[in-house]
Amino acid sequence: MMVSYGVNTLISDSGVIKYRIISERWEVNTVKNPSRWIFEKGIFMEQYDKTFHVEGYIQADTAWYYDQLKLWELRGRVTIRNVNGLVFRSEELFWDGIKHEFYSHQFSRLVTPERTLEGTYFRSDEQMMHYEVSNSVGSFVTDDMEGEDNSTPPTAAPSGTPSATEQSQQPAAGQPEAQPVRQKAVRKAATQKSNYQK
């Protein structure tokens, strides 16, 4: 139905400008089922708040928008950045306009000012405020981890004086020497190597 080149357009919702779309090629095809917009040369999209300030952006190498389903399918070097400094990267992302959520079944990397997450499944609300990452590895702040042993190490005894632990391990006179006791096992978070490259 329509093919446009060098696109730079604003899209409004209920009379309020919500998005800016920039693309080299924009095709609107209502013959295919379901009907769709096609951005084969890549897409860059900014999102605005009510005062026309940029809330974030989305970019991808290729994109399809199924207008009847209100579903975006983004492929190839997908990047999202929002106003809170969160950055999302993956090779695939779906944006469901009916359920108001993002999701991906490909390896994804999520970076916030506090933590970094990587995983093979991602789901989030549209504001990227509540999200889940499955089969994940990453770095976390201390408060995120439960069950960590945060006790302070024992203080060293003065030179030449056996510590309380050493005294308890020395056998009393006339008693057989006690077998050494294994140290308590410490639970560690599981890690998973990734072949993801920026």
Coordinates of all heavy atoms in Angstrom, one line a residue, residues 50-116:
K50 N 4.2 13.4 28.6 CA 3.2 14.4 28.3 C 3.7 15.8 28.0 O 3.1 16.6 27.4 CB 2.1 14.5 29.4 CG 1.3 13.2 29.5 CD 0.3 13.3 30.7 CE -0.5 12.0 30.8 NZ -1.4 12.0 31.9
T51 N 4.9 16.1 28.6 CA 5.5 17.4 28.4 C 6.5 17.4 27.2 O 7.4 18.3 27.1 CB 6.2 17.9 29.7 OG1 7.2 16.9 30.0 CG2 5.2 18.0 30.8
F52 N 6.5 16.3 26.4 CA 7.3 16.2 25.2 C 8.8 16.0 25.6 O 9.7 16.4 24.8 CB 7.1 17.3 24.3 CG 7.4 17.0 22.8 CD1 6.7 16.0 22.2 CD2 8.4 17.6 22.1 CE1 7.0 15.7 20.8 CE2 8.7 17.3 20.8 CZ 8.0 16.3 20.2
H53 N 9.1 15.5 26.7 CA 10.5 15.1 27.1 C 10.7 13.6 26.7 O 9.8 12.8 26.9 CB 10.8 15.3 28.6 CG 10.8 16.8 29.0 ND1 9.8 17.5 29.5 CD2 11.9 17.7 28.9 CE1 10.1 18.7 29.7 NE2 11.4 18.9 29.4
V54 N 11.9 13.3 26.3 CA 12.3 12.0 25.9 C 12.3 11.1 27.1 O 13.1 11.3 28.1 CB 13.6 11.9 25.1 CG1 14.0 10.5 24.8 CG2 13.6 12.8 23.9
E55 N 11.5 10.0 27.1 CA 11.5 9.0 28.2 C 12.5 7.9 27.9 O 12.9 7.2 28.8 CB 10.1 8.4 28.4 CG 9.1 9.4 29.0 CD 7.8 8.7 29.4 OE1 7.4 7.8 28.7 OE2 7.2 9.1 30.4
G56 N 12.8 7.6 26.6 CA 13.6 6.5 26.3 C 13.6 6.3 24.8 O 13.0 7.0 24.0
Y57 N 14.4 5.3 24.3 CA 14.5 5.0 22.9 C 14.6 3.6 22.7 O 15.0 2.8 23.5 CB 15.6 5.8 22.2 CG 17.0 5.3 22.5 CD1 17.5 4.2 21.8 CD2 17.8 6.0 23.4 CE1 18.8 3.8 22.1 CE2 19.1 5.6 23.7 CZ 19.6 4.5 23.0 OH 20.8 4.0 23.3
I58 N 14.2 3.1 21.5 CA 14.4 1.8 21.0 C 15.0 1.8 19.6 O 14.6 2.6 18.8 CB 13.0 1.0 21.0 CG1 12.3 1.0 22.3 CG2 13.2 -0.4 20.4 CD1 10.9 0.4 22.3
Q59 N 15.9 0.9 19.4 CA 16.5 0.8 18.0 C 16.7 -0.7 17.7 O 17.0 -1.5 18.6 CB 17.8 1.6 17.9 CG 18.9 1.1 18.7 CD 20.2 2.0 18.5 OE1 20.1 3.1 18.0 NE2 21.3 1.5 18.8
A60 N 16.7 -1.0 16.4 CA 16.9 -2.4 16.0 C 17.2 -2.4 14.5 O 17.0 -1.4 13.8 CB 15.6 -3.2 16.2
D61 N 17.9 -3.5 14.0 CA 18.3 -3.6 12.6 C 17.1 -3.8 11.7 O 17.0 -3.4 10.6 CB 19.3 -4.7 12.5 CG 20.6 -4.4 13.1 OD1 20.9 -3.2 13.4 OD2 21.4 -5.4 13.3
T62 N 16.1 -4.5 12.2 CA 14.9 -4.8 11.4 C 13.7 -4.9 12.4 O 13.8 -5.3 13.5 CB 15.0 -6.2 10.7 OG1 16.2 -6.3 10.1 CG2 13.8 -6.4 9.8
A63 N 12.5 -4.4 11.9 CA 11.3 -4.4 12.8 C 10.1 -4.6 11.9 O 10.0 -4.3 10.7 CB 11.2 -3.1 13.5
W64 N 9.1 -5.3 12.6 CA 7.8 -5.4 12.0 C 6.8 -5.0 13.0 O 6.9 -5.3 14.2 CB 7.5 -6.9 11.6 CG 8.4 -7.5 10.6 CD1 8.2 -7.5 9.2 CD2 9.7 -8.1 10.8 NE1 9.2 -8.1 8.6 CE2 10.2 -8.5 9.5 CE3 10.4 -8.3 11.9 CZ2 11.4 -9.1 9.4 CZ3 11.7 -8.9 11.8 CH2 12.1 -9.3 10.5
Y65 N 5.8 -4.2 12.6 CA 4.7 -3.9 13.5 C 3.4 -4.4 12.9 O 2.9 -4.0 11.8 CB 4.6 -2.4 13.7 CG 3.4 -1.9 14.5 CD1 3.3 -2.3 15.8 CD2 2.4 -1.2 13.9 CE1 2.2 -1.9 16.6 CE2 1.3 -0.8 14.7 CZ 1.2 -1.1 16.0 OH 0.1 -0.8 16.8
Y66 N 2.7 -5.4 13.7 CA 1.5 -6.0 13.2 C 0.4 -5.1 13.8 O 0.0 -5.2 15.0 CB 1.4 -7.4 13.7 CG 2.6 -8.2 13.3 CD1 3.7 -8.5 14.1 CD2 2.6 -8.8 12.0 CE1 4.8 -9.2 13.7 CE2 3.7 -9.5 11.6 CZ 4.8 -9.7 12.4 OH 5.9 -10.5 12.0
D67 N -0.2 -4.2 13.0 CA -1.1 -3.1 13.5 C -2.4 -3.7 14.0 O -2.9 -3.1 15.0 CB -1.4 -2.1 12.4 CG -1.9 -2.8 11.1 OD1 -1.6 -4.0 10.9 OD2 -2.6 -2.1 10.3
Q68 N -2.9 -4.8 13.5 CA -4.1 -5.3 14.0 C -3.9 -6.0 15.4 O -4.8 -6.0 16.2 CB -4.8 -6.3 13.0 CG -5.2 -5.7 11.8 CD -5.8 -6.7 10.8 OE1 -5.7 -7.9 11.0 NE2 -6.3 -6.2 9.7
L69 N -2.7 -6.6 15.6 CA -2.4 -7.3 16.8 C -1.7 -6.3 17.8 O -1.5 -6.7 19.0 CB -1.4 -8.4 16.6 CG -1.9 -9.5 15.6 CD1 -0.8 -10.5 15.3 CD2 -3.2 -10.2 16.1
K70 N -1.4 -5.1 17.4 CA -0.6 -4.2 18.2 C 0.6 -4.8 18.8 O 0.9 -4.7 20.0 CB -1.5 -3.6 19.3 CG -2.6 -2.7 18.8 CD -3.4 -2.0 19.9 CE -4.5 -1.1 19.4 NZ -5.2 -0.5 20.5
L71 N 1.4 -5.5 17.9 CA 2.6 -6.2 18.3 C 3.8 -5.8 17.5 O 3.7 -5.8 16.3 CB 2.3 -7.7 18.2 CG 3.5 -8.6 18.5 CD1 3.8 -8.6 20.0 CD2 3.2 -10.1 18.1
W72 N 4.9 -5.4 18.2 CA 6.1 -5.1 17.6 C 7.0 -6.3 17.7 O 7.1 -6.9 18.7 CB 6.8 -3.9 18.2 CG 6.3 -2.6 17.9 CD1 5.3 -1.9 18.6 CD2 6.7 -1.7 16.8 NE1 5.1 -0.6 18.0 CE2 6.0 -0.5 16.9 CE3 7.6 -1.9 15.8 CZ2 6.1 0.5 16.0 CZ3 7.8 -0.9 14.9 CH2 7.1 0.3 15.0
E73 N 7.7 -6.6 16.6 CA 8.7 -7.7 16.5 C 10.0 -7.0 16.1 O 10.1 -6.5 14.9 CB 8.4 -8.8 15.6 CG 9.4 -9.9 15.5 CD 9.0 -11.0 14.6 OE1 7.9 -11.0 14.1 OE2 9.9 -11.9 14.3
L74 N 11.0 -7.0 17.0 CA 12.3 -6.3 16.7 C 13.4 -7.4 16.6 O 13.5 -8.2 17.5 CB 12.6 -5.3 17.8 CG 11.5 -4.3 18.1 CD1 11.8 -3.6 19.4 CD2 11.4 -3.3 17.0
R75 N 14.3 -7.2 15.6 CA 15.3 -8.2 15.4 C 16.6 -7.6 15.1 O 16.7 -6.5 14.4 CB 15.0 -9.1 14.2 CG 13.7 -9.9 14.3 CD 13.9 -11.2 15.1 NE 12.7 -12.0 15.3 CZ 12.6 -13.1 15.9 NH1 13.7 -13.6 16.5 NH2 11.5 -13.8 16.0
G76 N 17.7 -8.1 15.6 CA 19.1 -7.7 15.3 C 19.5 -6.5 16.0 O 19.0 -5.4 15.8
R77 N 20.4 -6.7 16.9 CA 21.0 -5.6 17.7 C 20.0 -4.6 18.3 O 20.0 -3.4 18.2 CB 22.0 -4.8 16.9 CG 23.3 -5.6 16.5 CD 24.3 -4.7 15.8 NE 23.8 -4.2 14.5 CZ 24.6 -3.4 13.7 NH1 25.8 -3.1 14.1 NH2 24.1 -3.0 12.6
V78 N 19.0 -5.2 19.0 CA 18.0 -4.5 19.7 C 18.5 -3.8 20.9 O 19.2 -4.5 21.8 CB 16.8 -5.4 20.1 CG1 15.7 -4.6 20.7 CG2 16.3 -6.2 18.8
T79 N 18.3 -2.5 21.1 CA 18.7 -1.8 22.2 C 17.6 -0.9 22.8 O 16.9 -0.3 22.0 CB 19.9 -0.9 21.9 OG1 21.0 -1.7 21.4 CG2 20.4 -0.1 23.1
I80 N 17.4 -0.9 24.1 CA 16.4 0.0 24.7 C 17.2 0.7 25.8 O 17.9 0.1 26.6 CB 15.2 -0.8 25.3 CG1 14.4 -1.5 24.3 CG2 14.4 0.1 26.2 CD1 13.2 -2.3 24.8
R81 N 16.9 2.0 25.9 CA 17.4 2.8 27.1 C 16.2 3.6 27.6 O 15.5 4.2 26.8 CB 18.5 3.7 26.6 CG 19.1 4.6 27.8 CD 20.1 5.5 27.3 NE 21.3 4.9 26.9 CZ 22.4 4.6 27.7 NH1 22.3 4.9 29.0 NH2 23.4 3.9 27.2
N82 N 16.0 3.6 28.9 CA 14.9 4.4 29.5 C 15.4 5.5 30.3 O 16.7 5.7 30.5 CB 13.9 3.5 30.2 CG 14.5 3.0 31.5 OD1 15.6 3.3 32.0 ND2 13.7 2.1 32.2
V83 N 14.5 6.3 30.9 CA 14.9 7.5 31.6 C 15.6 7.2 32.9 O 16.3 8.1 33.5 CB 13.6 8.4 31.9 CG1 12.7 7.7 32.9 CG2 14.0 9.8 32.4
N84 N 15.5 6.0 33.4 CA 16.1 5.6 34.7 C 17.6 5.1 34.5 O 18.2 4.6 35.4 CB 15.3 4.5 35.4 CG 13.9 5.0 35.8 OD1 13.8 6.2 36.2 ND2 12.9 4.2 35.6
G85 N 18.0 5.1 33.2 CA 19.4 4.6 33.0 C 19.5 3.2 32.7 O 20.6 2.6 32.5
L86 N 18.4 2.5 32.6 CA 18.4 1.0 32.3 C 18.7 0.9 30.8 O 18.1 1.6 29.9 CB 17.1 0.4 32.6 CG 16.9 -1.1 32.3 CD1 16.0 -1.7 33.4 CD2 16.3 -1.3 31.0
V87 N 19.6 -0.1 30.5 CA 19.9 -0.4 29.1 C 19.7 -1.9 28.9 O 20.2 -2.7 29.6 CB 21.4 -0.1 28.8 CG1 21.7 -0.4 27.3 CG2 21.6 1.4 29.0
F88 N 18.9 -2.2 27.8 CA 18.6 -3.6 27.5 C 19.1 -3.9 26.1 O 19.0 -3.1 25.2 CB 17.1 -3.8 27.5 CG 16.6 -5.1 26.9 CD1 16.5 -6.3 27.6 CD2 16.3 -5.2 25.5 CE1 16.1 -7.5 27.1 CE2 15.9 -6.4 25.0 CZ 15.8 -7.5 25.7
R89 N 19.8 -5.1 25.9 CA 20.3 -5.4 24.6 C 20.0 -6.9 24.4 O 20.1 -7.7 25.2 CB 21.8 -5.2 24.5 CG 22.3 -3.8 24.5 CD 23.7 -3.6 24.2 NE 24.1 -2.2 24.0 CZ 24.5 -1.4 25.0 NH1 24.6 -1.9 26.2 NH2 24.9 -0.2 24.8
S90 N 19.6 -7.2 23.1 CA 19.3 -8.6 22.7 C 19.3 -8.6 21.2 O 19.4 -7.6 20.5 CB 18.0 -9.0 23.3 OG 17.7 -10.4 23.0
E91 N 19.1 -9.8 20.7 CA 18.9 -10.0 19.2 C 17.5 -10.1 18.9 O 17.1 -10.2 17.7 CB 19.7 -11.2 18.7 CG 21.2 -11.1 18.8 CD 21.7 -10.0 17.8 OE1 21.3 -10.0 16.7 OE2 22.5 -9.1 18.3
E92 N 16.6 -10.1 19.9 CA 15.2 -10.3 19.6 C 14.4 -9.6 20.7 O 14.8 -9.7 21.9 CB 14.8 -11.8 19.6 CG 13.3 -12.0 19.6 CD 12.9 -13.5 20.0 OE1 12.8 -13.7 21.2 OE2 12.9 -14.3 19.1
L93 N 13.3 -8.9 20.4 CA 12.4 -8.4 21.4 C 11.0 -8.2 20.8 O 10.8 -7.8 19.6 CB 12.9 -7.0 21.9 CG 12.1 -6.4 23.0 CD1 12.2 -7.2 24.3 CD2 12.5 -4.9 23.2
F94 N 10.0 -8.6 21.6 CA 8.6 -8.4 21.2 C 8.0 -7.4 22.2 O 8.3 -7.4 23.4 CB 7.8 -9.7 21.3 CG 8.2 -10.7 20.3 CD1 9.2 -11.7 20.5 CD2 7.6 -10.7 19.0 CE1 9.6 -12.6 19.6 CE2 8.0 -11.7 18.0 CZ 9.0 -12.6 18.3
W95 N 7.2 -6.5 21.6 CA 6.5 -5.5 22.4 C 5.0 -5.6 22.2 O 4.5 -5.3 21.1 CB 7.0 -4.1 22.0 CG 6.4 -3.0 22.7 CD1 5.5 -3.0 23.8 CD2 6.6 -1.6 22.5 NE1 5.2 -1.7 24.2 CE2 5.9 -0.8 23.4 CE3 7.4 -0.9 21.5 CZ2 5.9 0.6 23.4 CZ3 7.4 0.5 21.5 CH2 6.6 1.2 22.5
D96 N 4.3 -6.1 23.2 CA 2.9 -6.4 23.1 C 2.1 -5.1 23.6 O 2.2 -4.8 24.8 CB 2.5 -7.6 23.9 CG 1.1 -8.1 23.6 OD1 0.2 -7.2 23.4 OD2 0.9 -9.3 23.7
G97 N 1.5 -4.4 22.6 CA 0.7 -3.2 23.0 C -0.6 -3.5 23.7 O -1.2 -2.6 24.3
I98 N -1.1 -4.7 23.6 CA -2.3 -5.0 24.3 C -2.1 -5.4 25.8 O -2.7 -4.9 26.7 CB -3.1 -6.2 23.6 CG1 -3.5 -5.7 22.2 CG2 -4.3 -6.7 24.4 CD1 -4.1 -6.8 21.3
K99 N -1.0 -6.3 26.0 CA -0.7 -6.6 27.3 C 0.3 -5.6 28.0 O 0.6 -5.7 29.2 CB 0.0 -8.0 27.3 CG -0.9 -9.1 26.9 CD -0.2 -10.5 27.0 CE -1.2 -11.6 26.5 NZ -0.5 -12.9 26.6
H100 N 0.8 -4.7 27.2 CA 1.7 -3.6 27.7 C 2.9 -4.3 28.3 O 3.3 -4.0 29.5 CB 1.0 -2.7 28.7 CG -0.2 -2.0 28.1 ND1 -0.1 -1.0 27.2 CD2 -1.5 -2.2 28.3 CE1 -1.3 -0.6 26.8 NE2 -2.2 -1.3 27.5
E101 N 3.6 -5.1 27.6 CA 4.8 -5.8 28.1 C 5.8 -6.0 27.0 O 5.5 -6.1 25.8 CB 4.5 -7.1 28.8 CG 3.9 -8.1 27.9 CD 3.5 -9.4 28.6 OE1 3.5 -9.4 29.9 OE2 3.3 -10.4 28.0
F102 N 7.1 -6.2 27.4 CA 8.2 -6.6 26.5 C 8.5 -8.1 26.9 O 8.4 -8.4 28.0 CB 9.4 -5.8 26.7 CG 9.3 -4.3 26.3 CD1 9.2 -3.3 27.3 CD2 9.3 -4.0 25.0 CE1 9.1 -2.0 26.9 CE2 9.2 -2.7 24.6 CZ 9.1 -1.7 25.6
Y103 N 8.9 -8.8 25.9 CA 9.5 -10.2 26.2 C 10.4 -10.6 25.1 O 10.3 -10.1 23.9 CB 8.3 -11.2 26.4 CG 7.4 -11.4 25.2 CD1 7.7 -12.4 24.3 CD2 6.3 -10.6 25.0 CE1 6.9 -12.6 23.2 CE2 5.4 -10.9 23.9 CZ 5.7 -11.8 23.0 OH 4.9 -12.0 22.0
S104 N 11.3 -11.5 25.4 CA 12.3 -12.0 24.5 C 12.6 -13.5 24.9 O 12.7 -13.8 26.1 CB 13.6 -11.2 24.5 OG 14.6 -11.8 23.7
H105 N 12.9 -14.3 23.9 CA 13.3 -15.7 24.1 C 14.7 -15.9 23.7 O 15.2 -17.1 23.6 CB 12.4 -16.7 23.3 CG 10.9 -16.5 23.7 ND1 10.4 -17.1 24.8 CD2 9.9 -15.9 23.1 CE1 9.1 -16.8 24.9 NE2 8.8 -16.1 23.9
Q106 N 15.4 -14.8 23.4 CA 16.8 -14.9 23.1 C 17.7 -14.4 24.2 O 17.2 -13.8 25.1 CB 17.1 -14.1 21.8 CG 16.4 -14.6 20.5 CD 17.0 -15.9 20.0 OE1 18.1 -16.2 20.3 NE2 16.1 -16.7 19.4
F107 N 19.0 -14.7 24.1 CA 19.9 -14.2 25.2 C 19.8 -12.7 25.3 O 19.8 -12.0 24.3 CB 21.3 -14.6 24.8 CG 22.3 -14.1 25.9 CD1 22.5 -14.9 27.0 CD2 23.0 -12.9 25.7 CE1 23.4 -14.4 28.0 CE2 23.9 -12.5 26.7 CZ 24.1 -13.2 27.8
S108 N 19.6 -12.2 26.5 CA 19.4 -10.7 26.7 C 20.4 -10.3 27.8 O 20.7 -11.0 28.7 CB 18.0 -10.5 27.2 OG 17.1 -10.9 26.2
R109 N 20.7 -9.0 27.7 CA 21.6 -8.4 28.7 C 20.9 -7.1 29.2 O 20.5 -6.3 28.4 CB 23.0 -8.1 28.1 CG 24.0 -7.4 29.1 CD 25.3 -7.1 28.4 NE 26.2 -6.4 29.3 CZ 27.1 -7.0 30.1 NH1 27.1 -8.3 30.2 NH2 27.9 -6.3 30.8
L110 N 20.8 -7.0 30.5 CA 20.1 -5.9 31.2 C 21.1 -5.2 32.1 O 21.6 -5.9 33.0 CB 18.9 -6.4 31.9 CG 17.9 -5.4 32.5 CD1 17.1 -4.8 31.3 CD2 16.9 -6.1 33.4
V111 N 21.3 -3.9 31.9 CA 22.3 -3.2 32.8 C 21.5 -2.0 33.4 O 20.9 -1.2 32.7 CB 23.5 -2.7 31.9 CG1 24.4 -1.9 32.8 CG2 24.2 -3.8 31.2
T112 N 21.6 -1.9 34.7 CA 21.0 -0.8 35.5 C 22.2 -0.2 36.3 O 23.3 -0.7 36.4 CB 19.9 -1.2 36.4 OG1 20.5 -2.0 37.5 CG2 18.9 -2.1 35.7
P113 N 22.0 1.0 36.9 CA 23.0 1.6 37.7 C 23.4 0.7 38.9 O 24.5 0.9 39.4 CB 22.4 2.9 38.2 CG 21.4 3.3 37.1 CD 20.9 2.0 36.6
E114 N 22.6 -0.2 39.3 CA 22.9 -1.0 40.5 C 23.3 -2.4 40.1 O 24.0 -3.1 40.9 CB 21.6 -1.2 41.3 CG 21.1 0.1 42.0 CD 20.3 0.9 41.0 OE1 19.7 0.3 40.1 OE2 20.1 2.1 41.2
R115 N 22.9 -3.0 38.9 CA 23.2 -4.4 38.7 C 23.3 -4.7 37.2 O 22.9 -3.9 36.4 CB 22.2 -5.3 39.4 CG 20.8 -5.0 38.9 CD 19.7 -5.9 39.6 NE 19.8 -5.5 41.0 CZ 19.1 -4.5 41.6 NH1 18.3 -3.7 40.8 NH2 19.1 -4.3 42.8
T116 N 23.8 -5.9 36.9 CA 23.8 -6.4 35.5 C 23.3 -7.8 35.5 O 23.6 -8.6 36.3 CB 25.3 -6.4 35.0 OG1 25.8 -5.1 35.0 CG2 25.3 -6.9 33.5

